[in-house]
Amino acid sequence: NNASISAHSFVSLPKLLEVNLGKTYKGERSPCGPSRVLHVRKVPIEVSEAEVISLGVPFGKVTNLLMLKGKNQAFIEMASEEAAITMVNYYTTATPHVRNQPVYIQYSNHRELKTDNLLNQGRAQAALQAVNAVHSGNMSLSGTATASDGGMMPGQSPVLRLIVENLYYPVSLEVLHQIFSKFGTVLKIITFTKNNQFQALLQYADPMNAHHAKVALDGQNIYNGCCTLRVEFSKLTSLNVKYNNDKSRDFTRLDLPSGDGQPTLDPTMQTAFGAPGIISSPYPGAAGFAPAIGFHQAGLSMQTMPGALGPLTIPSSAMTGRMTIHGMAPTTIHSVLLVSNLNPDNISPHGLFILFGVYGDVHRVKILFNKKENALIQMADATQAQLAMSHLNGQRLYGKVIRVTISKHQTVQLPREGQEDQGLTKDFSGSPLHRFKKPGSKNFQNIFPPSATLHLSNIPPSTTDDFLKDLFAGSGYTVKAFKFFQKDRKMALIQLGSVEEAIQALIDLHNHDLGENHHLRVSFSKSTI
């Protein structure tokens, strides 16, 4: 019952291709059923056998190959169906590129390749032997030979634990995927915060890839002068990802739900690695999958064996909206955000100015005239736009979960003279309330995700805790706890009923006039009471 491609395939090539385009031979399973034979389309004519084989190598042993150069197609046979399934699932989320051209991979109807007497098989077999030899050679060189009980050698897990130090710019799951994909196929990533540090667990298809990445990337800066990577082997040998969102991703499983934006770690991992992350992706594209900016998803140019990566640099030009990661084309990132799913009954340009102003200086806000649940917000620069997006995307505001992405617009247009606008567009570029105008301002070091505890400052000496508690309670908020700073009564912490309440209270009461020429300053706190 096992159909196979034989030497006669060349005679009946149109028939063979028909099969892969959706018609079935008798006794074969339908085209969508998994098979260890994979059909590769749109293969550039100049591509070598080794380059096609390299598409499969990260997932397991490639046992056979058939190149149909005139048709820009190829068939790859994997040693196991499981390897083929992982490969197809992975490449569905991250289109592979060979010679900078996208290629497309799907299951073949054929169960195995029988290509013994084909003319081009000499080259294919030589290429297979060479790639497999290099691959197994690298495995033993890296000390990743498996122990007699079938387990890994000590310290050679396919899972890496990453810590990012000096986190001055947000580092997203996509950026980690982009960087680590240079060293092999990344299957899963989970990001989380532990001990106030942004951390991640990243699983490769192969321990060899993890070894190369660790050697090349440990101690490197992701951006110029900051975001230093610390890379070590994890004690875990595989990751269990429950949700695909901007904090966790399983690239082999498209069917996972997005959850509530809060990935849950497996209980054994939770105890080992602390709670899931609070830093969400600065680049959530549609449904939090591909980056909204033009990063090449996965960057898989698949130059078979990973080489060393030079220092990763995002120069100071990132501030003005150009980002370059070593080995990637520079990408223009705009400083305008698109905010959607707002509650039109409660939101105003001023409210958005105050909230987004926690993460950068807001120059203009436009609530869309015909779609009042959407707004455009122009930040001072692209870095601030990413920061605001990473912290506010997925937060609840006035009963709705808001979505924040980078807009394709480069600026927010002010209405023309006499144009009906209902006060929906406002220019805040000259506002005295900008928090980040002064270069090197302390405010840059006090940027935290939304939390139920707010940091209050600029409190006049005569103000009592009861007065401040009443101010928040009288505005409709649940005050759970309050305390002044011991050393400085100009500052205090107040804990409200929920993160959503705290966001709304910040919008309502930041810059509230407390008398004695003092206006209350409100920020999110990293501490709890």
Side-chain angles (χ1 to χ4, degrees), residues 119-306:
L119 296 172
N120 75 344
Q121 271 323 97
R123 283 172 56 185
Q125 289 306 320
L128 277 167
Q129 282 167 4
V131 173
N132 285 326
V134 171
H135 191 63
S136 49
N138 277 352
M139 290 288 283
S140 49
L141 281 175
S142 313
T144 53
T146 50
S148 55
D149 63 356
M152 297 289 170
M153 293 290 276
Q156 292 291 330
S157 162
V159 179
L160 294 174
R161 182 181 181 191
L162 321 174
I163 297 174
V164 183
E165 297 172 349
N166 306 323
L167 189 75
Y168 292 137
Y169 296 114
V171 172
S172 70
L173 187 147
E174 273 85 8
V175 165
L176 292 176
H177 186 240
Q178 184 76 37
I179 294 165
F180 282 81
S181 288
K182 305 274 179 210
F183 296 87
T185 303
V186 176
L187 300 184
K188 302 170 187 180
I189 303 178
I190 295 172
T191 64
F192 54 95
T193 297
K194 185 187 178 192
N195 304 334
N196 277 337
Q197 282 182 312
F198 177 63
Q199 303 193 21
L201 291 165
L202 181 145
Q203 181 180 342
Y204 277 108
D206 190 316
M208 180 189 82
N209 305 141
H211 173 81
H212 281 299
K214 179 182 183 299
V215 169
L217 295 176
D218 187 32
Q220 294 277 13
N221 290 340
I222 295 177
Y223 304 149
N224 253 6
C226 72
C227 299
T228 309
L229 273 170
R230 297 282 168 233
V231 185
E232 58 193 49
F233 285 110
S234 168
K235 294 185 182 72
L236 299 162
T237 51
S238 73
L239 301 180
N240 178 18
V241 175
K242 294 186 178 169
Y243 298 115
N244 279 339
N245 54 35
D246 48 9
K247 300 185 191 73
S248 64
R249 193 84 46 88
D250 183 337
F251 294 96
T252 68
R253 295 272 314 273
L254 285 181
D255 55 325
L256 290 179
S258 64
D260 195 21
Q262 293 296 327
T264 350
L265 292 176
D266 189 78
T268 51
M269 289 166 57
Q270 192 115 20
T271 49
F273 293 102
I278 44 173
I279 299 183
S280 56
S281 161
Y283 316 116
F289 265 81
I293 55 174
F295 276 169
H296 211 67
Q297 177 76 8
L300 286 164
S301 48
M302 294 310 286
Q303 259 66 45
T304 48
M305 295 308 145

Side-chain angles (χ1 to χ4, degrees), residues 319-335:
M319 296 295 285
T320 55
R322 304 281 305 169
M323 291 183 79
T324 41
I325 287 187
H326 183 80
M328 288 165 43
T331 317
T332 304
I333 309 167
H334 299 156
S335 54

Side-chain angles (χ1 to χ4, degrees), residues 462-489:
S462 61
T463 303
T464 64
D465 52 355
D466 284 340
F467 175 86
L468 288 167
K469 286 195 278 192
D470 290 347
L471 173 66
F472 279 80
S475 305
Y477 301 109
T478 313
V479 177
K480 291 205 157 174
F482 180 93
K483 76 166 186 198
F484 276 111
F485 278 57
Q486 273 182 327
K487 293 180 184 164
D488 186 355
R489 279 183 61 89

Side-chain angles (χ1 to χ4, degrees), residues 399-470:
K400 301 191 78 164
V401 176
I402 63 170
R403 290 278 159 244
V404 186
T405 56
I406 298 280
S407 165
K408 61 180 187 292
H409 295 285
Q410 295 183 21
T411 57
V412 169
Q413 297 292 327
L414 293 174
R416 291 188 301 279
E417 197 79 24
Q419 189 181 351
E420 174 62 28
D421 180 64
Q422 297 176 356
L424 296 175
T425 309
K426 288 269 194 278
D427 188 324
F428 295 99
S429 49
S431 169
L433 295 184
H434 286 160
R435 297 179 189 234
F436 304 100
K437 258 204 176 121
K438 287 185 198 150
S441 156
K442 264 191 185 165
N443 292 336
F444 280 109
Q445 286 146 41
N446 293 316
I447 294 174
F448 301 109
S451 61
T453 305
L454 295 171
H455 179 278
L456 311 180
S457 59
N458 204 31
I459 301 167
S462 61
T463 303
T464 64
D465 52 355
D466 284 340
F467 175 86
L468 288 167
K469 286 195 278 192
D470 290 347

Side-chain angles (χ1 to χ4, degrees), residues 384-406:
Q384 293 181 5
Q386 287 170 61
L387 209 52
M389 175 164 67
S390 74
H391 287 305
L392 294 174
N393 179 46
Q395 295 290 347
R396 286 186 88 79
L397 178 60
Y398 301 117
K400 301 191 78 164
V401 176
I402 63 170
R403 290 278 159 244
V404 186
T405 56
I406 298 280

